[in-house]
Amino acid sequence: ARMKWLALVALATVASAIPDMFMGRRRGGFTSHLFENVDSSILAMSDAWTGNITQRLDHFDDSITATWTQRYMFNHDYANSNVNILYLSGEQWMINPIVGPAAYVYYAEQLSADLYALEHRFYGKSQPTEDTSVENLKYLSSRQAIEDIAEFIRQINKVKGGDQKWILVGGSYAGALSAWARLKHPELIAGSIASSGPVLAQMDFYGYLQTVDEDFKKVGGLCYDQISAGLEAAQQLLQSDEGRKTLTKTFKISPPLSDYDVLSPYDIDTFYSYLISQFEGAAQYSQPPINALCEKFTANGPDYDPLKAFYSILSPAEKLNFNVNYKESVVELSGTEFQGDISMRLWFYQTCAEFGYFQSTNRGTNVFGQTQSSNSFIEYCVQLFGINVDQIEKNIEATNAYYGERDYYAGTNVIFSHGTQDPWSFLTKKSDPKHW
């Protein structure tokens, strides 16, 4: 089903030196998994419910008069009131989220609401510039996206007339957007549902892997112990030429580790990213569920080589392209054309320019040891976009000041929700004692 979905939306596989889970995000987008099993006939009908509106390139600089065309989708099947539900697709291609089985479609049915979905600038077919060069990416930001949302609502209100009520719905980054949009435009938006919305920007997102650790600690037993044993074994093998040959053979690493004159810390971080990718995916998406992944991981018993157990749970794509070459991933993420799945480059830019969200094991202790450093992510920012660590810190501070971050978020009529095992829940709002 996943390959059919990828083919339908014409997405190409991202950089070969990037595992399935990267930056706490699946290939294709945070919520792309929701549509993997949607019937292909539904997805193929996307254009039947598609419209376009004209947006300003820069909502904050009146001297820039350039405009662009933004894509949206609509479903009027349930509309019989002045209520409108707007689904935000976030940092991914907008497939067709308003006709498949989803909670917000149910809400529309119950509220007799009109249903819309809006594609985020730069993602999918909503391309405001000719390419994704660094010069053009300055127009990619959550602030611009929120003003796109506001202008979309204004234009639809003008067409429909009357007193229109709008409810925004989003998940993960789009969840944060829905909360921030309500904060900035309460005159247009009646309320928002922010699912797993990371409203706190943070450089060193240590809580992500701490939460994954807690999820697997609940299962405990051989599964938890084998994670630790395998990572410790890998760490020892990385220290010698013979050990690296063993790792190359076990994981079918290509190019082999023996080809490297020097295995950089960034290459090593990439290696560990492959090893922990499936554990992140199980915690974040429950695909497969944590218990099912543990069953597969421990299927050969306690005497089995833990590294072979790690290999057994890699995805087919990861087994085919286990490539730890950090430089190659930089080259592949440097492409600026709107072709294939450009979303990883776009999302990486947003993390460098606004949010951080760098999942690391720099702080605290957990079963993953010290396998993930934020330095690799920072180096991507430097090499891809010329944004150094000092500027990243300033960008994060500016984002938190603009939106009020997690503890001082002052929006009202917003529902924050998250799963009990969700690693992103660390950055979302769970209570609001400062505004009760």
Side-chain angles (χ1 to χ4, degrees):
R2 185 166 190 255
M3 292 307 295
K4 178 188 290 185
W5 170 73
L6 289 174
L8 283 167
V9 297
L11 296 180
T13 302
V14 296
S16 60
I18 295 178
D20 283 358
M21 285 289 296
F22 187 66
M23 293 284 293
R25 175 187 186 273
R26 245 188 173 184
R27 294 177 177 180
F30 279 116
T31 57
S32 58
H33 65 291
L34 296 176
F35 312 110
E36 289 182 0
N37 296 315
V38 176
D39 186 85
S40 59
S41 63
I42 292 177
L43 294 177
M45 294 172 66
S46 295
D47 289 342
W49 298 289
T50 299
N52 296 286
I53 66 166
T54 300
Q55 292 278 13
R56 290 179 55 185
L57 179 61
D58 191 326
H59 292 281
F60 301 97
D61 187 344
D62 290 337
S63 68
I64 298 176
T65 59
T67 60
W68 60 284
T69 301
Q70 185 173 31
R71 189 167 68 121
Y72 71 92
M73 291 182 177
F74 55 86
N75 181 351
H76 301 318
D77 287 353
Y78 313 110
N80 191 28
S81 73
N82 67 336
V83 178
N84 304 272
I85 294 176
L86 176 58
Y87 174 82
L88 305 178
S89 63
E91 43 54 79
Q92 63 193 33
W93 184 291
M94 183 173 64
I95 308 161
N96 199 351
I98 57 175
V99 293
Y104 40 87
V105 177
Y106 173 78
Y107 303 153
E109 185 176 6
Q110 295 301 304
L111 296 172
S112 299
D114 222 346
L115 188 56
Y116 296 88
L118 188 64
E119 190 166 63
H120 196 294
R121 58 169 54 203
F122 280 89
Y123 294 93
K125 294 183 179 180
S126 296
Q127 302 166 5
T129 56
E130 63 180 4
D131 60 28
T132 67
S133 63
V134 175
E135 174 65 21
N136 285 331
L137 287 178
K138 66 185 178 184
Y139 300 110
L140 171 60
S141 72
S142 61
R143 299 185 193 192
Q144 296 284 2
I146 287 169
E147 298 311 311
D148 289 339
I149 294 166
E151 178 59 21
F152 171 79
I153 292 174
R154 292 189 194 100
Q155 291 192 32
I156 298 299
N157 283 351
K158 186 175 181 180
V159 172
K160 299 180 76 167
D163 181 24
Q164 298 296 319
K165 304 295 185 183
W166 288 84
I167 301 170
L168 268 54
V169 179
S172 205
Y173 165 57
L177 271 184
S178 70
W180 293 332
R182 163 63 185 172
L183 170 70
K184 295 299 180 180
H185 288 286
E187 80 283 4
L188 294 172
I189 300 162
S192 295
I193 300 174
S195 176
S196 298
V199 291
L200 174 64
Q202 187 177 69
M203 171 85 82
D204 184 7
F205 184 11
Y206 63 92
Y208 185 92
L209 285 168
Q210 280 191 353
T211 305
V212 178
D213 168 85
E214 292 167 4
D215 293 338
F216 281 88
K217 188 181 291 183
K218 292 174 184 176
V219 176
L222 179 58
C223 183
Y224 191 75
D225 293 341
Q226 194 162 257
I227 296 172
S228 179
L231 292 174
E232 288 176 4
Q235 188 173 22
Q236 290 298 317
L237 290 171
L238 282 168
Q239 305 307 311
S240 68
D241 291 339
E242 285 303 313
R244 293 178 182 183
K245 289 180 181 177
T246 298
L247 290 173
T248 295
K249 182 178 180 181
T250 300
F251 291 100
K252 299 178 174 58
I253 299 172
S254 179
L257 299 183
S258 58
D259 283 8
Y260 294 76
D261 294 330
V262 176
L263 199 60
S264 76
Y266 309 135
D267 297 326
I268 292 172
D269 279 354
T270 304
F271 168 76
Y272 284 124
S273 293
Y274 277 94
L275 266 59
I276 67 177
S277 168
Q278 297 304 314
F279 298 100
E280 293 175 330
Q284 184 163 324
Y285 297 114
S286 196
Q287 292 185 345
I290 288 175
N291 285 329
L293 182 66
C294 279
E295 287 179 11
K296 184 175 181 180
F297 186 53
T298 61
N300 293 293
D303 298 325
Y304 192 63
D305 182 345
L307 291 175
K308 291 182 179 178
F310 269 93
Y311 179 78
S312 72
I313 63 171
L314 295 178
S315 71
E318 290 172 329
K319 289 180 178 179
L320 183 65
N321 288 308
F322 198 121
N323 179 1
V324 306
N325 193 311
Y326 182 84
K327 290 181 179 178
E328 285 190 16
S329 68
V330 171
V331 170
E332 294 190 47
L333 288 170
S334 297
T336 62
E337 299 301 315
F338 282 108
Q339 58 186 13
D341 182 11
I342 194 70
S343 66
M344 183 61 76
R345 171 179 170 81
L346 299 174
W347 177 241
F348 225 122
Y349 173 79
Q350 287 195 262
T351 64
C352 301
E354 295 188 84
F355 308 124
Y357 298 156
F358 303 145
Q359 295 89 25
S360 79
T361 53
N362 289 356
R363 297 167 61 180
T365 58
N366 59 61
V367 73
F368 302 107
Q370 298 297 311
T371 58
Q372 294 290 284
S373 169
S374 59
N375 292 338
S376 295
F377 300 116
I378 294 169
E379 187 63 17
Y380 274 119
C381 296
V382 172
Q383 294 199 32
L384 292 171
F385 311 114
I387 304 176
N388 63 28
V389 63
D390 291 337
Q391 188 59 53
I392 297 170
E393 289 177 345
K394 292 177 182 177
N395 295 342
I396 291 170
E397 289 174 3
T399 296
N400 285 331
Y402 189 71
Y403 296 122
E405 51 108 334
R406 177 179 57 198
D407 295 332
Y408 294 93
Y409 172 83
T412 59
N413 211 28
V414 177
I415 296 174
F416 288 93
S417 65
H418 61 87
T420 56
Q421 67 182 41
D422 178 17
W424 285 92
S425 66
F426 189 82
L427 301 181
T428 193
K429 199 166 189 64
K430 300 177 183 177
S431 61
D432 195 14
K434 294 180 176 61
H435 297 102
W436 281 342

